[in-house]
PDB file of all heavy atoms in Angstrom:
ATOM      1  N   GLN U 205      25.776   7.462  22.442  1.00 90.00           N
ATOM      2  CA  GLN U 205      25.565   8.198  23.687  1.00 90.00           C
ATOM      3  C   GLN U 205      24.092   8.195  24.068  1.00 90.00           C
ATOM      4  O   GLN U 205      23.268   8.902  23.493  1.00 90.00           O
ATOM      5  CB  GLN U 205      26.071   9.633  23.555  1.00 90.00           C
ATOM      6  CG  GLN U 205      27.577   9.743  23.367  1.00 90.00           C
ATOM      7  CD  GLN U 205      28.339   9.175  24.554  1.00 90.00           C
ATOM      8  OE1 GLN U 205      27.983   9.410  25.721  1.00 90.00           O
ATOM      9  NE2 GLN U 205      29.389   8.409  24.266  1.00 90.00           N
ATOM     10  N   ALA U 206      23.755   7.388  25.066  1.00 87.00           N
ATOM     11  CA  ALA U 206      22.364   7.199  25.449  1.00 87.00           C
ATOM     12  C   ALA U 206      21.704   8.479  25.931  1.00 87.00           C
ATOM     13  O   ALA U 206      20.510   8.695  25.717  1.00 87.00           O
ATOM     14  CB  ALA U 206      22.280   6.123  26.540  1.00 87.00           C
ATOM     15  N   ASN U 207      22.459   9.372  26.597  1.00 88.00           N
ATOM     16  CA  ASN U 207      21.866  10.587  27.138  1.00 88.00           C
ATOM     17  C   ASN U 207      21.423  11.564  26.049  1.00 88.00           C
ATOM     18  O   ASN U 207      20.680  12.511  26.320  1.00 88.00           O
ATOM     19  CB  ASN U 207      22.852  11.278  28.091  1.00 88.00           C
ATOM     20  CG  ASN U 207      24.153  11.676  27.403  1.00 88.00           C
ATOM     21  OD1 ASN U 207      24.599  10.983  26.482  1.00 88.00           O
ATOM     22  ND2 ASN U 207      24.749  12.765  27.838  1.00 88.00           N
ATOM     23  N   CYS U 208      21.840  11.333  24.821  1.00 89.00           N
ATOM     24  CA  CYS U 208      21.449  12.194  23.694  1.00 89.00           C
ATOM     25  C   CYS U 208      20.344  11.575  22.839  1.00 89.00           C
ATOM     26  O   CYS U 208      19.838  12.228  21.908  1.00 89.00           O
ATOM     27  CB  CYS U 208      22.666  12.488  22.812  1.00 89.00           C
ATOM     28  SG  CYS U 208      24.015  13.347  23.640  1.00 89.00           S
ATOM     29  N   TYR U 209      19.954  10.337  23.135  1.00 89.00           N
ATOM     30  CA  TYR U 209      19.036   9.605  22.267  1.00 89.00           C
ATOM     31  C   TYR U 209      17.681  10.297  22.126  1.00 89.00           C
ATOM     32  O   TYR U 209      17.146  10.438  21.017  1.00 89.00           O
ATOM     33  CB  TYR U 209      18.851   8.185  22.795  1.00 89.00           C
ATOM     34  CG  TYR U 209      17.866   7.346  22.001  1.00 89.00           C
ATOM     35  CD1 TYR U 209      18.252   6.705  20.824  1.00 89.00           C
ATOM     36  CD2 TYR U 209      16.539   7.201  22.431  1.00 89.00           C
ATOM     37  CE1 TYR U 209      17.354   5.942  20.095  1.00 89.00           C
ATOM     38  CE2 TYR U 209      15.636   6.436  21.701  1.00 89.00           C
ATOM     39  CZ  TYR U 209      16.044   5.814  20.541  1.00 89.00           C
ATOM     40  OH  TYR U 209      15.149   5.065  19.823  1.00 89.00           O
ATOM     41  N   ALA U 210      17.089  10.729  23.240  1.00 84.00           N
ATOM     42  CA  ALA U 210      15.724  11.265  23.218  1.00 84.00           C
ATOM     43  C   ALA U 210      15.600  12.505  22.346  1.00 84.00           C
ATOM     44  O   ALA U 210      14.543  12.750  21.749  1.00 84.00           O
ATOM     45  CB  ALA U 210      15.272  11.569  24.644  1.00 84.00           C
ATOM     46  N   ASP U 211      16.656  13.303  22.269  1.00 87.00           N
ATOM     47  CA  ASP U 211      16.588  14.561  21.522  1.00 87.00           C
ATOM     48  C   ASP U 211      17.303  14.498  20.177  1.00 87.00           C
ATOM     49  O   ASP U 211      17.399  15.509  19.478  1.00 87.00           O
ATOM     50  CB  ASP U 211      17.206  15.695  22.358  1.00 87.00           C
ATOM     51  CG  ASP U 211      16.457  15.910  23.664  1.00 87.00           C
ATOM     52  OD1 ASP U 211      15.219  15.831  23.640  1.00 87.00           O
ATOM     53  OD2 ASP U 211      17.121  16.135  24.700  1.00 87.00           O
ATOM     54  N   ALA U 212      17.804  13.334  19.803  1.00 91.00           N
ATOM     55  CA  ALA U 212      18.583  13.224  18.571  1.00 91.00           C
ATOM     56  C   ALA U 212      17.687  13.315  17.332  1.00 91.00           C
ATOM     57  O   ALA U 212      16.522  12.917  17.347  1.00 91.00           O
ATOM     58  CB  ALA U 212      19.352  11.900  18.565  1.00 91.00           C
ATOM     59  N   GLY U 213      18.256  13.853  16.264  1.00 92.00           N
ATOM     60  CA  GLY U 213      17.541  13.904  14.997  1.00 92.00           C
ATOM     61  C   GLY U 213      17.451  12.523  14.362  1.00 92.00           C
ATOM     62  O   GLY U 213      18.332  11.679  14.556  1.00 92.00           O
ATOM     63  N   PHE U 214      16.402  12.292  13.586  1.00 94.00           N
ATOM     64  CA  PHE U 214      16.188  10.956  13.016  1.00 94.00           C
ATOM     65  C   PHE U 214      15.443  11.035  11.696  1.00 94.00           C
ATOM     66  O   PHE U 214      14.840  12.049  11.344  1.00 94.00           O
ATOM     67  CB  PHE U 214      15.390  10.087  13.990  1.00 94.00           C
ATOM     68  CG  PHE U 214      13.979  10.581  14.218  1.00 94.00           C
ATOM     69  CD1 PHE U 214      12.925  10.156  13.409  1.00 94.00           C
ATOM     70  CD2 PHE U 214      13.695  11.492  15.225  1.00 94.00           C
ATOM     71  CE1 PHE U 214      11.639  10.617  13.590  1.00 94.00           C
ATOM     72  CE2 PHE U 214      12.407  11.972  15.423  1.00 94.00           C
ATOM     73  CZ  PHE U 214      11.375  11.526  14.599  1.00 94.00           C
ATOM     74  N   ARG U 215      15.470   9.920  10.977  1.00 93.00           N
ATOM     75  CA  ARG U 215      14.648   9.693   9.793  1.00 93.00           C
ATOM     76  C   ARG U 215      13.916   8.369   9.971  1.00 93.00           C
ATOM     77  O   ARG U 215      14.488   7.413  10.505  1.00 93.00           O
ATOM     78  CB  ARG U 215      15.498   9.619   8.516  1.00 93.00           C
ATOM     79  CG  ARG U 215      16.217  10.903   8.147  1.00 93.00           C
ATOM     80  CD  ARG U 215      17.051  10.685   6.886  1.00 93.00           C
ATOM     81  NE  ARG U 215      17.917  11.820   6.602  1.00 93.00           N
ATOM     82  CZ  ARG U 215      17.567  12.880   5.873  1.00 93.00           C
ATOM     83  NH1 ARG U 215      16.340  12.930   5.365  1.00 93.00           N
ATOM     84  NH2 ARG U 215      18.405  13.866   5.661  1.00 93.00           N
ATOM     85  N   ILE U 216      12.676   8.315   9.533  1.00 94.00           N
ATOM     86  CA  ILE U 216      11.951   7.051   9.457  1.00 94.00           C
ATOM     87  C   ILE U 216      12.428   6.346   8.183  1.00 94.00           C
ATOM     88  O   ILE U 216      12.578   6.970   7.135  1.00 94.00           O
ATOM     89  CB  ILE U 216      10.433   7.293   9.387  1.00 94.00           C
ATOM     90  CG1 ILE U 216       9.977   8.101  10.601  1.00 94.00           C
ATOM     91  CG2 ILE U 216       9.672   5.962   9.313  1.00 94.00           C
ATOM     92  CD1 ILE U 216       8.569   8.660  10.465  1.00 94.00           C
ATOM     93  N   ILE U 217      12.683   5.050   8.277  1.00 94.00           N
ATOM     94  CA  ILE U 217      13.225   4.320   7.131  1.00 94.00           C
ATOM     95  C   ILE U 217      12.430   3.042   6.866  1.00 94.00           C
ATOM     96  O   ILE U 217      11.862   2.442   7.784  1.00 94.00           O
ATOM     97  CB  ILE U 217      14.711   3.964   7.322  1.00 94.00           C
ATOM     98  CG1 ILE U 217      14.913   3.138   8.602  1.00 94.00           C
ATOM     99  CG2 ILE U 217      15.576   5.216   7.342  1.00 94.00           C
ATOM    100  CD1 ILE U 217      16.324   2.593   8.777  1.00 94.00           C
TER     101      ILE U 217
END
Side-chain angles (χ1 to χ4, degrees):
Q205 294 298 317
N207 60 328
C208 299
Y209 178 82
D211 299 320
F214 66 89
R215 295 178 189 271
I216 303 167
I217 57 173

